[in-house]
Amino acid sequence: MNAAEQALTGMANMSLADSISGSTSGRSNSSSTIDKSQPPPQSAPPSSASTTGAGAGGAAAGVGAEAAAVAAVGLEELGGMSPFEFFVEEVEREDDVYLRLHAYRRIRVIAQALGPEQTKRVLLPFLEEKSCTLKDDEVLLILAQELGQPAFSSLVHTPTALLPTLTNLAGTEETVVREAAVTSLLTVLSSLPAPVPEGLSTFVSLAQGEMFCHKVSAAALFPALYLKLGEPAGAGEGEGEGRKEQLRAVFEAFLVNDDSPMVRRAAAAALPETIKALPFGLLCGWLLPIWSKLAGDDQDIVRLAAIEATLPVAKALHHKGLNDKTPHYVLPLLRHAVEDRSWRVRQALARDYAPLSVALQGEGGQGATEVLHHDLLPGLVALLQDNEAEVRTAALTHAYAAYCPLVGPRLFAQHLLPCAHLLMHDSLPGVRLALATACLDLAPHLGQAAFMQHLMPVLEMVLMDRNAPDNVKVRVHILSRLAVIGPCSSSSSSSSSSSSSSSSSSSSSSSSSSTTTITGLSSTPPPSPSILRILLDLREDDNWRLRKAAIEALPVLAEYMPSVDHTLLFEPALLPHLLSAFQDRVSQVRMAATGALNHLARVAGPEFIRSKVFPRMKELYHNAAFYLVRSAVLEASKSLLVGGETSPSLLDDMLALILEATHDKIPNVRFTAAQVLARLSPLVDPSSLRSSIQPCLQHLAASDPDSDVRFYAALALEEKEEATLTVTSVATPDDAAASVVAAGAVEGGFEVRGMT
């Protein structure tokens, strides 16, 4: 590093003052080293000011004094160059763009070294000239960002001196540079006192610019500048209103009526923020006519921006207490937007249709009901039946389910439910997926009878559709949200369960009633297959994702069954299909069966697992010819111990099976058994731990021929020793089972190789 670079590095320490004042900088910390060969400055260090409880201003003053001293030392090493000359030399290096970027990032350092007067007289005119001649967008972006930093503005006595440079940058063609310049302009203007005559002149110069880029930036400045003019100021009220009127006139003449569609789109995008500063008279007499004009523009992008401003306009009218006038101004535009020739406009309307309807409905009453019946409901039906799939998808996603609580189940069933039967045959999977999601979202609002009669057949038909390969994602999504359907039939489940317990002679009819309820059918079954039958069919599907989703959905059905139905229905009809998933050829399906069994254990209880499930698991283990099936059964046994809620007899049966698995001929099965023994150790009584588990693990760790088995057995012994300390301090096996989490008997990083 030469002397000049060392000097500028010393001056970079002035950024410490910026950090205390709250500024953010992109400068690298690697260039913030002080030349320690020079004597330290005599001013108090900044840390003393901050640690003694002094204010931020005192700390900044201390750091500023130190930075000034360091800068003075650095100036002696610049070889006769001033900081500005050194900065000019760096930014003129056309061969090194990174050096120029780094130089522009340090303009605050240069400005502080120069002082306010020199910065205003030398540095800012140079930057203004560069903003007009530079062609490198990266450099222009850095310049636009740095000039808007509050720390840089504080280095200039008059922040308005930054406006010419930022105005030039706001007229560049590159969008990111233009947006950064507008942001910096807003930051500078917000620091000025109202009524900001400089801001008004900046806006006028941009609005009257020759290029569309200037006018787009002027449109972005308009809302904030208009709000700024509304702040209290020393000028008279008449003068402030005159400036506002001039601002509105320029906005309408040069932006709203501009020939460029991009400028008119920017003007439409500025309307929502402008509403906040307008009284009722100007809102209805000036802004709403402009908005209506832009909403009827012949260019799609302008109409799109105007439609996106519809919701803020309706909310503003609602908040100002103008509910009776909202339909008068908004409904005509909605009618035209529903039939707009651009599908993007219709899509934007569909996204905001539900909140727009809430704003138009206001406080309710007869007028709101008429608006709902004659305008809003037909408009939503038209969007749901639109020719473009994007519009139909947006209407289903954002408006369909949200409209049920708005209009009530009766009107929804009358006007909107028929659309579901039409869309269930849509050729595009994205529309069918949106329809299925909307139907599931409707379950809590529509009511049991209407849901089962109208929407359950839609879901069932989508689930049974095997012709469209793209439908897999839709069906998986429905199965993953099957729990939503359960509460719709909970009341019927309870009544059928109570009727089954009233008389032993009616047990068969009770079982049939339970089957009807759980499978998603009402008391008068529609002509469609049941959810239960669909799940069993999907269990045999060729696509493994559908098989996995079907297995995960089976315990969800059991969750909404009365306890008596676990034996009457789930055990004979569904449990064999759940356990058969352990023989699936795909690992993900076997893992899903393990999780489903854990879910079933939490729902049905340990007694059901002991008497109905675990005997079938033992049979499956002994009959399995493939070692991955045996490993999956052991993993499922381990998942049953997660909650720690087990019975002593189930623990004994499980321990016998796992000890048998330690003698399996496949190493993967043996080390999986060692992992399960580690999980089982805190739950068994100390005598079983000493007599069976410990000798088995010691034998595996010492003499097993496979190194992986020895490794996992040694880990299990460590887990067992920790569990022994816990179990010996516990009085009863039941208390030991309750302390499984505290015992630290977790999987502890075991690598499950048997499931791969």
Side-chain angles (χ1 to χ4, degrees), residues 91-372:
V91 300
E92 295 294 342
R93 293 279 298 273
E94 297 293 339
D95 57 331
D96 194 344
V97 64
Y98 296 103
L99 182 62
R100 286 186 285 129
L101 287 174
H102 188 58
Y104 278 104
R105 287 193 182 100
R106 295 185 300 183
I107 57 175
R108 280 185 290 169
V109 177
I110 301 298
Q112 191 163 359
L114 291 175
E117 294 299 329
Q118 284 288 96
T119 298
K120 183 178 179 181
R121 187 175 61 85
V122 179
L123 180 61
L124 292 183
F126 176 78
L127 295 178
E128 182 180 358
E129 178 186 355
K130 284 295 181 181
S131 66
C132 298
T133 58
L134 280 174
K135 302 300 182 183
D136 196 327
D137 293 331
E138 291 181 284
V139 175
L140 292 175
L141 177 61
I142 295 297
L143 180 59
Q145 292 172 341
E146 291 296 327
L147 290 180
Q149 296 291 340
F152 188 84
S153 300
S154 63
L155 301 177
V156 184
H157 287 319
T158 55
T160 54
L162 302 174
L163 295 179
T165 304
L166 291 174
T167 302
N168 293 337
L169 294 173
T172 57
E173 294 185 7
E174 180 59 40
T175 303
V176 292
V177 178
R178 191 167 63 245
E179 291 176 349
V182 169
T183 302
S184 297
L185 276 172
L186 293 174
T187 302
V188 173
L189 292 176
S190 64
S191 65
L192 300 177
V196 205
E198 298 86 355
L200 182 59
S201 61
T202 301
F203 171 78
V204 172
S205 64
L206 286 172
Q208 296 177 349
E210 297 181 357
M211 298 290 294
F212 80 94
C213 308
H214 299 84
K215 299 183 178 184
V216 169
S217 298
L221 285 175
F222 177 75
L225 190 58
Y226 198 90
L227 287 171
K228 186 72 175 178
L229 290 175
E231 296 178 357
E237 181 179 355
E239 182 179 353
E241 291 299 326
R243 288 195 174 97
K244 287 184 179 181
E245 184 177 357
Q246 181 184 359
L247 200 64
R248 294 194 303 270
V250 173
F251 179 80
E252 184 173 1
F254 292 95
L255 303 181
V256 175
N257 297 320
D258 192 83
D259 294 334
S260 173
M262 290 171 286
V263 177
R264 300 199 300 274
R265 178 184 61 178
L271 295 181
E273 292 296 324
T274 310
I275 295 174
K276 303 175 183 178
L278 294 177
F280 169 71
L282 288 175
L283 179 62
C284 297
W286 179 75
L287 187 139
L288 290 180
I290 289 178
W291 172 58
S292 301
K293 178 181 179 180
L294 294 173
D297 198 274
D298 57 349
Q299 293 292 325
D300 297 350
I301 59 173
V302 182
R303 296 197 308 276
L304 177 61
I307 289 300
E308 290 174 345
T310 303
L311 182 58
V313 170
K315 287 183 176 180
L317 292 172
H318 177 68
H319 292 157
K320 291 179 182 293
L322 305 175
N323 296 325
D324 56 334
K325 297 184 179 296
T326 304
H328 172 72
Y329 289 106
V330 178
L331 278 180
L333 274 71
L334 285 186
R335 296 190 191 102
H336 287 91
V338 168
E339 302 174 354
D340 195 276
R341 61 179 179 271
S342 172
W343 68 267
R344 297 184 186 276
V345 175
R346 303 195 301 273
Q347 183 189 37
L349 176 63
R351 285 196 295 261
D352 293 337
Y353 203 84
L356 267 173
S357 301
V358 174
L360 288 172
Q361 199 175 24
E363 304 297 332
Q366 183 64 29
T369 304
E370 293 179 359
V371 168
L372 195 62

Side-chain angles (χ1 to χ4, degrees), residues 538-614:
L538 293 178
R539 171 65 193 92
E540 307 298 331
D541 197 273
D542 294 336
N543 190 291
W544 69 267
R545 291 179 174 85
L546 288 173
R547 299 199 303 272
K548 175 176 178 289
I551 288 299
E552 292 171 341
L554 289 178
V556 176
L557 296 180
E559 188 172 355
Y560 294 100
M561 291 180 181
S563 58
V564 65
D565 291 338
H566 295 152
T567 302
L568 295 178
L569 175 63
F570 193 90
E571 189 265 334
L574 301 181
L575 185 58
H577 295 275
L578 174 58
L579 295 179
S580 66
F582 289 109
Q583 298 175 311
D584 197 277
R585 61 185 181 274
V586 178
S587 173
Q588 294 291 333
V589 180
R590 299 194 299 271
M591 294 175 65
T594 299
L597 197 60
N598 178 265
H599 189 174
L600 179 62
R602 294 196 304 269
V603 172
E607 183 58 29
F608 181 80
I609 298 298
R610 184 198 65 79
S611 61
K612 302 297 182 183
V613 178
F614 197 74

Side-chain angles (χ1 to χ4, degrees), residues 63 69 135 223 264-265 400 443 447 628-629 748:
V63 175
K135 302 300 182 183
R264 300 199 300 274
R265 178 184 61 178
Y400 191 65
L628 288 178
V629 177

